[in-house]
Amino acid sequence: MRIGELSRRTGVGTDALRAWERRYGVLRPERSPGGFRLYSASDEQRVRTMTRLIADGFSAAEAARSALAEDSGPLAPGADGGDAEALCEALVALDEETATAIVDRAVAALSVDALVRELMLPAMHEIGERWRRGEIGVAEEHFASNLLRARMLGLARGWGSGGSPIAILACPPGELHDLGLIAFGLALRARGWRIAYLGQDTPIETIEDLAGRLGNPAIVLAAADADRYRGAEPALKRLATTPGRLSLGGAGSDPELARGLGANDLGSDPVAAASALSAAP
Amino acid sequence: MRIGELSRRTGVGTDALRAWERRYGVLRPERSPGGFRLYSASDEQRVRTMTRLIADGFSAAEAARSALAEDSGPLAPGADGGDAEALCEALVALDEETATAIVDRAVAALSVDALVRELMLPAMHEIGERWRRGEIGVAEEHFASNLLRARMLGLARGWGSGGSPIAILACPPGELHDLGLIAFGLALRARGWRIAYLGQDTPIETIEDLAGRLGNPAIVLAAADADRYRGAEPALKRLATTPGRLSLGGAGSDPELARGLGANDLGSDPVAAASALSAAP
Amino acid sequence: MRIGELSRRTGVGTDALRAWERRYGVLRPERSPGGFRLYSASDEQRVRTMTRLIADGFSAAEAARSALAEDSGPLAPGADGGDAEALCEALVALDEETATAIVDRAVAALSVDALVRELMLPAMHEIGERWRRGEIGVAEEHFASNLLRARMLGLARGWGSGGSPIAILACPPGELHDLGLIAFGLALRARGWRIAYLGQDTPIETIEDLAGRLGNPAIVLAAADADRYRGAEPALKRLATTPGRLSLGGAGSDPELARGLGANDLGSDPVAAASALSAAP
DNA sequence: ATAGGTTTTGTCAAGCTTTTGTACAT
DNA sequence: ATGTACAAAAGCTTGACAAAACCTAT
């Protein structure tokens, strides 16, 4: 819409609109071939934000800062799938508030499966990539991992009670990457399972012992590096007594390795893995 | 039809019609052997789209762009319209897993407007139709309503804070169909409004009271049955003090009824209604 | 905000504000490029602390010392039980932003059981009490119900797929209070059940029909008013064929009534009811 | 608390251009 | 029907301005 219509809709004079654009950059209208400003619906919204803030007592300059920040922030209604990128940006900027807000919104709007698949995994993956490319430091990587882990564990609360098939989840000795395993646990829990979570760096004997006490639960291991599996080969073979009892996942697993050990290969997509395990006899 | 007839029907001058054709290419009439322009029904439709947009404040050039874009259809990437049917089938089969997955995908891929318009409303409509035709039972209808309501309310998180014009949304006394109202609220929120949602079966006095406390917000009621409006006629008239303050929507509203009460009629398409309300002074 | 707005909000003169900054350092505003002071919300808070202390008889210097000390203080992490009251206050004040933030935090920090028991139910109960005592109006009650319902339904995502014992949840005909039933559903889901949710105002025949199609699921009804049960007595008796199949809950249920119908009485605490049902054979 | 200078911000003016419906000649 | 012309309405840019709000210093 052109400037007059925007002015009429928002009650802000055309001169003021032009001044706000020039002085604060709040509005970035397209231009018609002849040079007329053409505003979008989101411009209108930003103007409304401005007027509201100004009515609340903020100076125009501050209102403009807020309007711009809000725009790029988690309050953008109708964010169409860019959430994972936004989360990633917030994480590398160590901006916990924004990251939390994005996750909160997704938790309210999505199912566990979708949350994991659309938000958590893409963000984790992107963080990992940037870390590998040296674009972010250890601090960012740790901050991001811890925040994502905390939020997923928040959703995991209670997953160890009251479900019908039981699964033990653990990382083999030496393996510290547990985010994917937690994501898998959430997806499996959503399918009605009960989760016994042992986490990072778990001795195989511990798993063996627990399995004995729990009846005959499914056992799922996850590792990002195949060496973790190879290093525990004898113990793993001992664990895979019953066929179908032991499953391996994560980037470190591959079908051949799994077959050699008498285990299932679940691949490295946690949600798909949960579906596969749940569908298995 | 020839240009004079088209002009008479649409109220747009013949010169303007020719200018629109030459300048923007909105109309592509056939020609008679003698060279007369021969317009089709779809041309008339496009002219009406133009006039509506121009009345809404868009420039003729922009209106033409929209009219042409709309014409080439809602080929939204991703949602190929089959999603709504698939969702409907899943709901009728009481298959929550599939229904959830379909909605999840749409939430992640579409804007709020598109989600509501392409998925939620068609599914709701189809469920309603089948129910009316007796093809499905109460269980299916309840299951579907509850699931769709839950998903839309998930997207509604935060809609009551930080927007600029405020709107009170409620169903009049006795009215329990709130799905359309929620959809409307989402579409309105996407346009930057702040929503005060009162929901099903709300006494008019309550709305009046709240309106007083919120400054002078817009008030939107929705009812599937005109009797709900008629039953509250005196109170509604009292509510419609300022012109433009009260709007009625849902299948139970019609222009005449609304006019009689001093209210706007928003029709029964929630997204269109949100656009209309948002464009009003 | 600038100094004038801060002065207007707190009632402290601009000169005094500047003096407090110079003399005691209580305020540390940013500066605009041109040199104007820009205060934050926490500055406003500190000013309020100052005025309160001064009104209590402290000297300005002492008040400043306290205000600064308090500042580095009470950021208590973790829910100290006051959350339910805080939520209740926010709901009564129609403050969605605060209410949403409280619920978000609780969702991230608590298990479903704890969330329901520590936050949702107390808030619902308190809202109900205040409503009964006439301290709040219908608007507040509707607003609160809708917000709590929306947030609980957000957690309900996926509860209808992949669990082992199935339960049908519904309110009998005429009953519209479904919050407790949803809370019960969440608690039951956390115990591994699969939920078929029919919600408000469901005809008994519908339940009967669905129960037939789902094998022999548990059936749980909830009503706030015993009349809803009594009004459907014959149909309910027909529903309670197998002993232990039908359970009644909500304030409208009592042991005697349930016994008369051949049903279980689950009482009106949703979490306890879920435990009881889950523990039953 | 006052005085004197500065910053912020909405508005206005002048002179020129674009847009668009209508008029008119062919 | 076509093509050109035209004029009102709306917009653009630059520059200036004045009221309100704010600053420091006395």
Side-chain angles (χ1 to χ4, degrees), chain A residues 56-59 62 104 107-111 151 154 157-158 161-164 189-192, chain C residues 1-2 5 9 38 104 107-111 151 154 157-158 161-164 189-192:
Chain A
D56 283 358
F58 290 90
S59 72
E62 280 301 299
D104 281 342
V107 167
L110 297 174
S111 69
R151 295 312 304 263
R157 214 131 312 170
S161 58
S164 62
R189 173 63 175 178
R191 285 163 179 74
Chain C
M1 88 201 71
R2 296 193 304 210
E5 177 65 15
R9 290 193 186 193
L38 298 175
D104 279 342
V107 166
L110 300 175
S111 69
R151 297 315 303 266
R157 209 128 316 160
S161 54
S164 63
R189 173 63 176 177
R191 285 161 179 75

Side-chain angles (χ1 to χ4, degrees), chain A:
Chain A
M1 89 202 68
R2 296 193 304 208
I3 200 170
E5 176 64 14
L6 181 60
S7 170
R8 221 165 302 126
R9 288 193 187 193
T10 60
V12 177
T14 59
D15 289 304
L17 290 173
R18 280 190 281 256
W20 287 357
E21 174 184 339
R22 179 166 26 93
R23 296 207 259 244
Y24 319 119
V26 244
L27 300 173
R28 300 230 170 253
E30 306 274 308
R31 294 291 184 127
S32 78
F36 282 15
R37 289 173 173 82
L38 298 175
Y39 297 92
S40 69
S42 74
D43 285 320
E44 178 180 345
Q45 207 179 303
R46 229 161 329 172
V47 172
R48 289 192 195 284
T49 303
M50 286 283 290
T51 54
R52 173 169 49 88
L53 292 174
I54 289 172
D56 283 358
F58 290 90
S59 72
E62 280 301 299
R65 275 208 329 138
S66 292
L68 281 172
E70 189 167 306
D71 203 50
S72 61
L75 293 172
D80 39 35
D83 274 357
E85 283 104 72
L87 174 58
C88 195
E89 291 308 320
L91 289 172
V92 299
L94 304 180
D95 176 356
E96 177 172 339
E97 188 168 358
T98 302
T100 298
I102 293 172
V103 176
D104 281 342
R105 189 153 59 94
V107 167
L110 297 174
S111 69
V112 170
D113 266 23
L115 178 78
V116 166
R117 198 193 307 250
E118 308 285 341
L119 189 68
M120 296 296 191
L121 294 177
M124 282 158 54
H125 188 260
E126 177 66 18
I127 295 283
E129 277 305 304
R130 294 203 193 180
W131 153 254
R132 203 160 304 128
R133 291 200 300 264
E135 294 171 17
I136 61 173
V138 186
E140 284 78 11
E141 201 270 343
H142 274 215
F143 175 83
S145 297
N146 285 322
L147 193 143
L148 295 176
R149 178 182 294 108
R151 295 312 304 263
M152 288 200 288
L153 287 176
L155 296 169
R157 214 131 312 170
W159 68 2
S161 58
S164 62
I166 305 184
I168 298 180
L169 270 50
C171 297
E175 179 61 55
L176 298 179
H177 294 85
D178 58 350
L179 287 180
L181 186 64
I182 299 174
F184 170 79
L186 289 177
L188 200 59
R189 173 63 175 178
R191 285 163 179 74
W193 289 58
R194 174 169 161 191
I195 310 297
Y197 184 76
L198 296 176
Q200 301 176 333
D201 189 22
T202 304
I204 306 297
E205 296 72 41
T206 302
I207 300 171
E208 222 166 342
D209 172 46
L210 180 61
R213 278 188 285 155
L214 288 180
N216 192 31
I219 299 172
V220 182
L221 304 184
D225 186 337
D227 288 346
R228 304 284 163 267
Y229 289 132
R230 293 209 197 87
E233 220 163 314
L236 288 177
K237 272 187 181 154
R238 221 169 46 239
L239 208 55
T241 47
T242 329
R245 190 196 196 197
L246 177 65
S247 304
L248 306 183
S253 163
D254 71 274
E256 206 169 331
L257 177 78
R259 203 165 332 113
L261 293 167
N264 301 322
D265 171 51
L266 291 177
S268 55
D269 173 350
V271 178
S275 279
L277 184 63
S278 217

Side-chain angles (χ1 to χ4, degrees), chain C residues 142-153:
Chain C
H142 273 218
F143 175 82
S145 296
N146 283 313
L147 194 143
L148 295 176
R149 177 181 296 110
R151 297 315 303 266
M152 289 200 289
L153 287 176

Side-chain angles (χ1 to χ4, degrees), chain C residues 106-230:
Chain C
V107 166
L110 300 175
S111 69
V112 170
D113 263 27
L115 178 77
V116 167
R117 195 187 318 243
E118 311 284 336
L119 188 69
M120 296 295 191
L121 293 176
M124 280 157 55
H125 188 260
E126 177 66 17
I127 294 283
E129 277 306 304
R130 294 205 194 179
W131 152 253
R132 205 159 304 129
R133 292 200 298 265
E135 293 171 18
I136 61 173
V138 185
E140 284 77 9
E141 200 269 341
H142 273 218
F143 175 82
S145 296
N146 283 313
L147 194 143
L148 295 176
R149 177 181 296 110
R151 297 315 303 266
M152 289 200 289
L153 287 176
L155 297 169
R157 209 128 316 160
W159 67 1
S161 54
S164 63
I166 305 184
I168 298 180
L169 270 51
C171 298
E175 179 62 54
L176 298 179
H177 295 84
D178 57 351
L179 287 181
L181 186 65
I182 298 173
F184 171 78
L186 289 177
L188 201 59
R189 173 63 176 177
R191 285 161 179 75
W193 289 59
R194 175 169 161 188
I195 311 296
Y197 183 77
L198 295 177
Q200 301 176 331
D201 188 23
T202 302
I204 305 297
E205 297 72 41
T206 298
I207 301 171
E208 219 165 345
D209 171 48
L210 181 60
R213 278 188 283 159
L214 289 180
N216 191 31
I219 298 172
V220 182
L221 303 184
D225 186 338
D227 288 346
R228 304 284 164 267
Y229 289 132
R230 293 210 196 88

Side-chain angles (χ1 to χ4, degrees), chain C residues 12 16-17 20-21 24 26-27 43-68 70:
Chain C
V12 177
L17 290 172
W20 288 356
E21 173 185 340
Y24 318 118
V26 243
L27 301 172
D43 286 319
E44 180 181 345
Q45 202 48 53
R46 231 161 332 176
V47 172
R48 289 191 194 286
T49 304
M50 286 285 290
T51 55
R52 177 169 47 83
L53 292 173
I54 289 172
D56 284 359
F58 291 90
S59 74
E62 276 302 299
R65 274 205 332 133
S66 293
L68 281 171
E70 187 168 306

